[in-house]
């Protein structure tokens, strides 16, 4: 297993190694959906990246992001000013976020480190380290945990609208985070995986979660099945469109 402190951009460029996001796409949909994915950018993704950097690698924040002042982008002058700031940021390899989102991220970070459990977990570990494994279930895989304490645990930092147990469990199943958790745990050989969920609005509550053994086992079954589909593609070129997901038990038969 190769461990390296590389950039997020370099990590995502290593397409020879399948990642957890690819595995989740295959598990939830199919190899076809993964192969046909198009690059996607949005303000929400930029804010999420800024949040992770501010909390986990604070010293890098202003090397990677530019905070714009309040600008009325509904006016012609405001649009021109904002476009100029965007061009300046891109020219220096940085991303642009507005002042409101920056203040939100600051407050979210403060609440996280005021929380005893979060503060203790985010101690003596390593943020944003990449791992490349040449042979995991006979395929090349890569993982990049948000925070890793060697031989002990992994932390995944999530920003959300609602960090309550009911809402967070819904998000886990919706986005396949239990698949990611099981995959990361098995690749890195650790027994504990924690989610820190942080709300993006007042009172900016944060909560730490650990998934049940049952949910981790469901995630493990899903990622192993996804890897089997990926191996089938690599060996035979088979690109399936959808998995059955036991839908025959629900009155739907895939032809």
């Amino acid at each position: 297993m190769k461990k390296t402190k590389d950039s997020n951009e370099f990590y995502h460029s290593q397409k020879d190694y399948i990642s957890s996001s690819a595995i989740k796409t295959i598990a939830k949909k199919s190899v076809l959906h993964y192969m046909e994915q198009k690059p996607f950018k949005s303000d929400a993704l930029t804010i999420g990246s800024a949040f992770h950097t501010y909390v986990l690698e604070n010293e890098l924040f202003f090397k990677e992001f530019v905070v714009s002042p309040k600008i009325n982008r509904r006016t012609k002058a405001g649009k021109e000013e904002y476009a100029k700031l965007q061009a300046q940021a891109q020219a220096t390899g940085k991303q642009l976020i507005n002042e409101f989102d920056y203040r939100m991220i600051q407050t979210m970070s403060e609440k996280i480190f005021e929380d005893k459990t979060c503060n203790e977990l985010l101690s003596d570990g390593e943020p944003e380290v990449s791992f490349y494994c040449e042979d995991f279930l006979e395929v090349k895989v890569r993982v990049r945990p948000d925070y890793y304490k060697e031989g002990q645990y992994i932390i995944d930092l999530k920003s959300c609208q609602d960090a309550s147990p009911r809402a967070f469990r819904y998000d886990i199943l919706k986005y396949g985070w239990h698949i990611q958790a099981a995959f990361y745990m098995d690749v890195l050989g650790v027994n504990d995986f924690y989610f820190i969920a942080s709300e993006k609005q007042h009172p900016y509550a944060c909560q730490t979660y650990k998934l049940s053994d049952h949910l981790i086992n469901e995630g493990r079954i899903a990622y192993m099945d996804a890897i089997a589909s990926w191996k089938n593609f690599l060996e035979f070129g088979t690109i399936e469109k959808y998995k059955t997901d036991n839908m025959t038990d629900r009155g739907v038969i895939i032809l």
Side-chain angles (χ1 to χ4, degrees):
M1 176 107 58
K2 180 183 177 183
K3 174 184 175 183
T4 181
K5 186 71 175 178
D6 52 23
S7 69
N8 192 47
E9 291 74 20
F10 179 85
Y11 171 79
H12 286 290
S13 73
Q14 301 306 293
K15 301 300 184 184
D16 287 346
Y17 299 81
I18 193 166
S19 67
S20 69
S21 61
I23 286 172
K24 284 186 292 183
T25 299
I26 295 170
K28 293 174 67 62
K29 290 191 175 181
S30 72
V31 171
L32 174 68
H33 288 81
Y34 167 59
M35 297 298 292
E36 294 294 326
Q37 275 186 146
K38 295 181 179 179
F40 176 74
K41 291 185 178 181
S42 70
D43 289 344
L45 287 177
T46 302
I47 294 167
S49 178
F51 170 59
H52 277 70
T53 303
Y54 192 91
V55 173
L56 301 173
E57 299 179 291
N58 189 264
E59 71 282 0
L60 299 179
F61 185 82
F62 286 108
K63 295 179 181 179
E64 298 182 2
F65 295 91
V66 175
V67 179
S68 74
K70 292 181 180 178
I71 297 174
N72 185 354
R73 292 163 62 185
R74 290 174 292 184
T75 66
K76 181 181 178 182
K79 290 177 182 177
E80 290 175 350
E81 184 179 359
Y82 191 77
K84 184 178 179 180
L85 285 172
Q86 279 186 315
Q88 290 173 345
Q90 290 174 358
T92 56
K94 298 181 181 182
Q95 298 182 77
L96 186 67
I97 64 169
N98 64 46
E99 186 177 2
F100 175 84
D101 291 328
Y102 175 62
R103 299 302 176 195
M104 175 189 73
I105 289 167
Q106 280 186 312
T107 306
M108 291 166 72
S109 180
E110 288 169 4
K111 295 295 183 180
I112 286 171
F113 288 104
E114 286 172 2
D115 182 273
K116 182 179 178 181
T117 301
C118 295
N119 196 18
E120 288 179 354
L121 286 172
L122 291 168
S123 301
D124 302 320
E126 298 177 279
E128 304 291 355
V129 177
S130 301
F131 295 85
Y132 301 90
C133 181
E134 300 297 324
D135 184 8
F136 180 78
L137 299 180
E138 301 178 343
V139 296
K140 297 169 71 171
V141 301
R142 56 185 162 97
V143 295
R144 185 178 171 91
D146 290 345
Y147 196 84
Y148 172 67
K149 193 160 186 177
E150 189 166 357
Q152 296 187 43
Y153 59 78
I154 296 164
I155 294 174
D156 200 70
L157 186 63
K158 300 294 188 188
S159 58
C160 54
Q161 296 296 328
D162 186 349
S164 67
R166 183 185 298 273
F168 197 69
R169 186 180 187 281
Y170 174 82
D171 285 346
I172 287 167
L173 298 175
K174 178 180 179 181
Y175 298 113
W177 293 341
H178 60 311
I179 301 171
Q180 172 194 358
F183 177 63
Y184 271 48
M185 289 167 67
D186 291 353
V187 171
L188 295 179
V190 300
N191 295 322
D192 293 318
F193 189 109
Y194 301 99
F195 290 98
I196 294 179
S198 176
E199 292 182 350
K200 296 188 288 186
Q201 55 196 3
H202 183 79
Y204 301 98
C206 64
Q207 183 62 53
T208 304
Y209 292 103
K210 183 178 179 181
L211 305 189
S212 68
D213 290 343
H214 174 73
L215 204 50
I216 290 294
N217 285 334
E218 283 193 0
R220 181 170 290 118
I221 291 168
Y223 90 65
M224 292 180 76
D225 189 46
I227 286 179
S229 295
W230 181 242
K231 287 166 65 177
N232 199 38
F233 163 70
L234 293 177
E235 186 172 356
F236 303 109
T238 305
I239 302 182
E240 60 189 11
K241 289 184 287 187
Y242 283 105
K243 291 184 171 296
T244 59
D245 192 28
N246 295 321
M247 288 296 285
T248 52
D249 296 335
R250 305 175 201 176
V252 177
I253 300 173
I254 295 178
L255 303 177

